Amino acid sequence: MLRVGGKAGCMACRNLVSTNMGVRFLVPLQKLHPLSRAIHHRYSGNANPQRGPHRTAARYFTSMSRLPMRPPKPPPGSGGRNYQQQRNFWVARLAARLLKLRYLFLGTAVGGGYTAKKTYDEWKDMLPDLSEYNWVIPDFVWELSEQIDFDKLAKALPEMEEISKLLPDLDKIGENFTFLKSLLSSGVSLGSEVKGAGLHLLLETSGDPPLKATDSSAAASQDASDRQYKKSSDKEKVDQLQEELLRTQLKYQRMLERLEKENKELRKVVLQKDDKGIHQRKVKKSLIDLYSEVLDILSDYDANYNTQDHLPRVVVVGDQSAGKTSVLEMIAQARIFPRGSGEMMTRSPVKVTLSEGPHHVAIFKDSGREFDLTKEEDLSALRHEIELRMRKSVKEGQTVSSETISLSVKGPGIQRMVLVDLPGVISTVTTGMASDTKETIFSISKAYMQNPNAIILCIQDGSVDAERSIVTDLVSQMDPQGKRTIFVLTKVDLAEKNLASPSRIQQIVEGKLFPMKALGYFAVVTGKGSTGESIESIKDYEEDFFQSSRLLRDGMLKAHQVTTKNLSLAVSDCFWKMVRESVEQQADVFKASRFNLETEWKNNYPRLRELDRNELYEKAKNEILDEVISLSQVTPQHWEAILQKKLWERVSTHVIENIYLPAAQTMDSGTFNTTVDIKLKQWTDKQLPHKALEVAWETLQEEFARFMAEYKGKDQDDIFDKLKEAVKDESIKRHKWNERAMDSLRVIQHNALEDRSITDKPQWDAAIQFMEETLQSRLKDTESVIRDMVGPDWKERWLNWKNRTADQHIRNETKNELDRLLKLHDDHTAYLANDEVTTVRKNLEGRGVEVDPVLIKDTWHQLYRRHFLQKALAHCNLCKRGFYYYQRHFVDSELECNDVVLFWRIQRMLVITANTLRQQLTNNEVRRMEKNVKEVLEDFGEDTEKKTQLITGRRVQLAEDLKKVREIQEKLEAFIEALHKEK
């Protein structure tokens, strides 16, 4: 470091010295050149090295650094000491120069190496990539290239003449490379880049240059026989090389499959490890599962496949028995579909969502059961379940259905996509099919294919004449440009065997035979036609066939056009490409639809919540359950009063007509009581318990309906009226009364009717009141019947201008005649004698009235009934004071009130029966009714069609559409976000 007077010198001089010396030396100021020291001492006082004298110093040092380095002459008088100092200075300068050269060489080496590497990389990038063509080279070449020490071989070649005999024929190698060039131009898939480089190295180290075109002049000097022999041998060599190419390709394909299998097992292990914490953390759905959920919601939202649904899916179409279901099974890697021989098996669309998972399983969208596809019993159960669902979806009188069955298949190594298997297209309707089956299948197929983003997987049977194909015309109508169609030719093994000209297969897969266009053409083999074949055996058979097939050997088919594995990869790539191109546009469509629906709701229902059908059903369910609970809060007094009243209304006619009136015809007290006891016993044994249970059941129904009607008026939503009525009817229909209580009820009623003891006056008065009310009610009804029989009286005729009919006139005359008879015989019996009927008839004929004897007896029955009831009411009034005689057992008393005792027995039986029925209602039947209502509500809740029928209206439909559109939009946004993350 430069220092002046013990302090640091200026930065300009220090930098100049260190820079011009090549390295940063710490040089003392005294050892500098005298001129440099003088300049420094002169200008060291300036602090700015870039201004004034220091700039001059800088110029000086710079110019001085360019001067040749020779030692200056020592000044006179300086002596040896000064000369030694100057010599030391120039030695330091020389060392600095030499060190500077070292850094120049080092920098040049680094820069040159970087430039060489960059040039090498540019040349390497310009070379063609031969990594896909390495499969052509046999394995022995790679083994040979690894074993041979090429350096030793190159050194030994000049000294070994015999080694030339071991070298390959370069002429044949050139011809082979000519053939390889033609193969490369046709697009055959080959091996890796490293092995291609190995072959090039082997040929270079062979010692001779490759065969050139000018070398063919040597072969022209051979005679004709040699040329002929050479041509034949060359042809054999080409055939051998082609066979070697196919064997090598298949060998590497097996290696790839083995690696894929190992990879599949490893992925399975990884996924199983991820599955261990499935209950401890939230499960993240896969990309294809998110997309499948969107399609499921759309399927439920619009069963008619609305044009708004333009989301991609792979639509599998083909003629019946063309093998489309088998192709789908090969892609899914499991025999999951019902199989038949020549008959229609696919009767409805089946949406299959393929995704990767740790286990090979299948799950229906609406079911939690997992079918293990590695077990034959689960596969059989799955096929049976699919067949049942198909038949269930088909309506009566139809053959196919448009209802979609949704199925998910997961397994290691399965390509992710969504496929829809459609019913096979038919040309004619056979016996047992509906007349519109053909048109229905065309309609379903067109509905799915008209989606502009749907990928059409067109399946064509290769074993039949191409002219018989129906589906190709249909596909060409839906996709005339072939921008979203993939053509698949099945049963190629049968086609090769049956066709006289295999070139037709080449024309088909090149798109030259059919008028339709397609993105790609594939040829596959889906087994030998046996229903018991496994997927692995089919794969092996397909591989063996194409290995030995001359279609591939002769170049009619290309390697990437064969096997279902290549097809699966191509379809998956096309599917996801279509998804990425269209999904965001579809999300915008649903966003606009959501805005329109929300605007309509705000304008029409601003104060109501957006409850969909399921939410409205839950609200109605709670209301109905509240009403049923209110049924259990009815008081016992209310139940007993209703039951007693209804039971008497039901049995009063029988008591009056069949028990009381017949017994009252006798004047003897003993005969009256005996008749009453007999008739009551018969009534109790046969009819009374059944009548009581009927009354109780009807009462329960009426009370339940009454509560439902009362709640209906309490600010309840009228949108639930149909639902409540249906729940009420179905609950009553399902309710079965517990008839085990009938026997005990019969015993209770029998004991109540046998008791004749009235213990106190209030009971007596109550019996008289009950009897009086009953008789008055019956008398009123009887008088009404008589009035209808005889017509209006003179007052009504005068005031209301009414007239009697001819029949009423006859009955009125008959009534007057019978009234005179009753006045003469107050104690007349209930029936007229024949002579009395004849007398009345003759009297009426004398007045010019023709009367039928039946009419006379009918009129007499009503008149006598009124007469009897009037007398019974009079006797009832007399018995009001008869409790004293009854209590003292005055049998011979003129006032006998046996009829009062009868009515007391009936009344007591009614009270006890009502109490018994009330206990059964509150303890058992009401609870069972509540249970029935809950069961009906649960059943209705699971029946979507039932809810749709019972909860209707624009408000419901609008809420349903809003819910679906929001759900679709949310699912689409989640899917798009996951899709972007995957990119």
Side-chain angles (χ1 to χ4, degrees), residues 660 664 667 672 764 768 771-772 775 867-882 893-901:
Y660 175 60
M667 303 305 295
F672 177 85
W764 181 270
I768 289 178
M771 177 181 175
E772 187 176 10
L775 294 178
H867 175 70
F868 173 81
L869 292 173
Q870 290 172 349
K871 288 177 61 178
L873 280 171
H875 180 70
C876 182
N877 289 328
L878 293 176
C879 288
K880 289 181 180 180
R881 54 185 178 84
S893 174
E894 294 181 356
L895 185 60
E896 294 182 358
C897 297
N898 294 318
D899 48 358
V900 176
V901 177

Side-chain angles (χ1 to χ4, degrees), residues 566-580:
N566 291 335
L567 171 65
S568 177
L569 292 171
V571 173
S572 179
D573 292 342
C574 188
F575 169 76
W576 285 108
K577 180 182 178 182
M578 190 72 75
V579 168
R580 289 185 174 91

Side-chain angles (χ1 to χ4, degrees), residues 141 222 330 339 627 637 842:
V141 176
Q222 298 179 356
M330 291 293 291
R339 296 187 291 275
E627 295 164 8
Q637 294 80 6
K842 289 182 178 181

Side-chain angles (χ1 to χ4, degrees), residues 319-423:
D319 298 330
Q320 182 179 342
S321 302
K324 54 186 180 54
T325 301
S326 299
V327 171
L328 204 157
E329 286 180 335
M330 291 293 291
I331 295 175
Q333 301 181 16
R335 307 301 296 269
I336 59 178
F337 291 102
R339 296 187 291 275
S341 179
E343 59 179 326
M344 178 181 292
M345 299 305 300
T346 306
R347 298 180 177 269
S348 64
V350 182
K351 182 177 76 68
V352 183
T353 303
L354 301 179
S355 60
E356 193 172 22
H359 306 288
H360 202 184
V361 296
I363 309 170
F364 286 101
K365 181 191 70 173
D366 55 354
S367 174
R369 178 183 176 184
E370 284 191 355
F371 296 88
D372 190 349
L373 301 183
T374 60
K375 299 179 180 179
E376 184 57 36
E377 55 270 22
D378 279 21
L379 277 172
S380 178
L382 176 62
R383 290 192 291 266
H384 181 66
E385 180 67 19
I386 293 176
E387 186 174 3
L388 288 179
R389 287 173 179 257
M390 285 184 181
R391 296 189 181 277
K392 184 179 179 181
S393 66
V394 177
K395 298 180 180 179
E396 186 177 358
Q398 298 294 319
T399 306
V400 294
S401 169
S402 60
E403 183 178 342
T404 304
I405 299 174
S406 184
L407 177 70
S408 295
V409 177
K410 298 182 179 181
I414 295 180
Q415 297 298 319
R416 302 177 303 167
M417 67 185 91
V418 178
L419 303 100
V420 182
D421 186 21
L422 299 180

Side-chain angles (χ1 to χ4, degrees), residues 600-617:
E600 182 180 355
W601 182 275
K602 291 178 182 179
N603 292 334
N604 296 327
Y605 312 102
R607 297 188 178 184
L608 294 177
R609 289 192 301 130
E610 300 170 2
L611 300 179
D612 59 15
R613 185 172 281 107
N614 290 331
E615 293 170 335
L616 288 172
Y617 182 81

